[in-house]
């Protein structure tokens, strides 16, 4: 009789622990939704105005050609955007590829980026929240959504997340490139430099276009590769291709993330664009 009671108690405790773990595993998703809801609350009444030729005529000709190619002239100015990707990522050059699903929201009024990622390793969920808010960057990754395996922050992350936000703007929300916080320098007919200022801190990237007007690559020296508890500054690029009509604009639907290291290139991410929404007013899972 006592043995049966012990078994019942152990089963109850196991179920209780499982329930607590399942509840805790939703923490990152809840944090993501909370930040998105906060961002959306700022922009519900944003002004609906259109991108005009006057908005772009100060930009380098290569950037103007790009904006005309993707079709933002005459479309609404972008105040926030939501993106969904599928794809693959590597957490180490020697590791296998992991299938991923991601969703992110970017807000232009207060420069916020919330990137939520889901993956699995040996059938165990890996959840991550990559964020940039109030000029601060953070990368939080949890095994099973419960056990923290990475929590990166500090000056290097602040700079890296700022340039990643610029990357999002260039690739997935080209209408935002008229933002006055971006200073442009023309390099040649197919190349331009973007210098992005957030409260006095500047990051930059070189944008490479083809003669058709497509943006083909984004290259920056302003990112740091995370290696355990340390950071290694390295050139970072995001070559893109396969432009298609997505929500009224021609956008690249495939891209890669590549670290250019002394020992060779390390492609750690392959993304397929699934969906883009602009000027979102409500969070819909």
């Amino acid at each position: 009789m006592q043995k049966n009671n012990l078994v019942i108690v152990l089963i109850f405790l196991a179920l209780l622990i499982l329930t607590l773990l399942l509840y805790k595993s939703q923490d990152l998703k809840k944090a993501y939704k909370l930040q998105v809801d906060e961002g959306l609350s700022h922009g519900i009444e944003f002004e609906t105005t259109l991108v005009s030729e006057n908005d772009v005529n100060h930009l380098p000709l290569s950037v103007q050609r790009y904006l005309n190619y993707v079709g933002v002239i005459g479309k609404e100015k972008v105040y926030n955007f939501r993106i969904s990707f599928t794809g693959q990522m590597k957490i180490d050059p020697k590791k296998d590829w992991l299938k991923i699903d991601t969703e992110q929201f970017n807000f232009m009024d207060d420069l916020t980026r919330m990137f939520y990622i889901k993956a699995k390793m040996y059938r165990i969920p890996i959840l991550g929240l990559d964020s940039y808010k109030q000029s601060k960057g953070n990368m939080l990754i949890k095994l099973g959504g419960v056990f923290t395996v990475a929590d990166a922050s500090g000056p290097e992350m602040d700079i890296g997340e700022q340039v990643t936000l610029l990357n999002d703007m260039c690739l997935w929300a080209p209408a935002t490139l008229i933002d006055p916080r971006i200073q442009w320098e023309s390099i040649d007919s197919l190349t331009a430099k973007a210098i992005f200022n957030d409260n006095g801190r500047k990051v930059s990237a070189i944008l490479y276009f083809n003669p058709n007007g497509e943006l083909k690559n984004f290259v920056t020296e302003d990112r740091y590769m995370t290696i355990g508890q340390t950071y290694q500054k390295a050139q970072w690029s995001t070559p893109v291709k396969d432009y298609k009509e997505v929500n009224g604009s021609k956008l690249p639907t495939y891209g890669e993330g590549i670290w250019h290291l002394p020992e060779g290139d390390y492609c750690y991410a392959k993304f397929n664009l699934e969906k883009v929404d602009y000027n979102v007013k409500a969070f819909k899972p």
Side-chain angles (χ1 to χ4, degrees):
M1 189 68 179
Q2 289 181 342
K3 184 177 181 181
N4 289 339
N5 289 338
L6 179 60
V7 170
I8 292 172
V9 170
L10 290 175
I11 292 174
F12 174 79
L13 289 174
L15 290 173
L16 180 60
I17 292 171
L18 180 60
T19 300
L20 290 173
L21 289 175
L22 288 173
Y23 179 78
K24 287 291 292 179
S25 70
Q26 299 301 310
D27 282 357
L28 278 185
K29 183 69 173 182
K30 291 175 182 177
Y32 168 73
K33 185 179 183 303
L34 182 65
Q35 294 298 328
V36 169
D37 285 340
E38 181 181 335
L40 290 173
S41 70
H42 297 165
I44 292 176
E45 301 299 330
F46 47 61
E47 182 183 3
T48 300
T49 55
L50 305 181
V51 180
S52 70
E53 292 287 352
N54 287 336
D55 290 318
V56 306
N57 60 18
H58 68 287
L59 304 176
L61 291 178
S62 57
V63 181
Q64 291 186 44
R65 191 184 307 117
Y66 173 52
L67 296 185
N68 275 284
Y69 174 82
V70 298
V72 304
I73 309 299
K75 302 285 180 60
E76 287 187 4
K77 293 181 179 180
V78 172
Y79 300 94
N80 70 49
F81 52 102
R82 178 182 185 174
I83 317 173
S84 298
F85 295 105
T86 57
Q88 298 175 295
M89 289 193 77
K90 280 188 175 186
I91 58 175
D92 184 277
K94 298 178 182 178
K95 301 292 185 181
D96 293 332
W97 289 98
L98 303 176
K99 290 184 179 180
I100 60 168
D101 289 284
T102 78
E103 180 188 290
Q104 73 181 85
F105 265 90
N106 290 32
F107 299 94
M108 300 309 301
D109 57 347
D110 59 356
L111 293 183
T112 297
R113 178 181 189 266
M114 291 291 158
F115 182 87
Y116 180 70
I117 182 170
K118 297 183 293 184
K120 281 188 178 181
M121 180 184 290
Y122 306 116
R123 298 185 178 182
I124 301 174
I126 300 175
L127 304 178
L129 183 57
D130 205 23
S131 62
Y132 184 75
K133 186 176 176 64
Q134 296 179 343
S135 304
K136 299 293 183 182
N138 178 247
M139 180 177 64
L140 182 59
I141 300 175
K142 292 190 175 186
L143 187 65
V146 177
F147 305 103
T148 300
V149 295
D151 188 1
S153 60
E156 296 88 352
M157 285 299 301
D158 300 342
I159 294 170
E161 293 294 344
Q162 183 180 342
V163 82
T164 306
L165 173 57
L166 175 62
N167 181 260
D168 290 339
M169 295 164 65
C170 292
L171 298 180
W172 319 116
T176 63
L177 298 187
I178 64 174
D179 193 300
R181 289 167 291 196
I182 303 177
Q183 175 188 343
W184 291 96
E185 296 178 3
S186 181
I187 297 176
D188 57 39
S189 63
L190 298 177
T191 317
K193 182 177 183 179
I195 303 168
F196 187 36
N197 187 334
D198 181 15
N199 290 320
R201 186 179 61 223
K202 297 179 180 180
V203 298
S204 66
I206 306 297
L207 278 61
Y208 295 87
F209 305 90
N210 68 16
N212 294 331
E214 295 175 344
L215 174 59
K216 303 302 293 183
N217 205 354
F218 173 106
V219 180
T220 182
E221 308 291 338
D222 291 331
R223 278 201 65 178
Y224 295 80
M225 182 177 170
T226 306
I227 304 174
Q229 299 297 316
T230 63
Y231 298 95
Q232 175 183 340
K233 194 170 189 179
Q235 187 182 80
W236 181 72
S237 70
T238 58
V240 293
K241 62 181 182 179
D242 298 340
Y243 277 73
K244 296 177 183 177
E245 191 83 12
V246 182
N247 198 11
S249 298
K250 289 182 183 177
L251 299 176
T253 58
Y254 176 80
E256 297 180 347
I258 302 174
W259 291 109
H260 301 277
L261 307 174
E263 59 270 27
D265 291 350
Y266 165 34
C267 177
Y268 71 94
K270 298 178 180 180
F271 290 106
N272 299 294
L273 178 65
E274 297 295 331
K275 188 177 181 182
V276 177
D277 293 303
Y278 300 116
N279 297 336
V280 179
K281 293 189 177 181
F283 181 85
K284 297 179 181 178

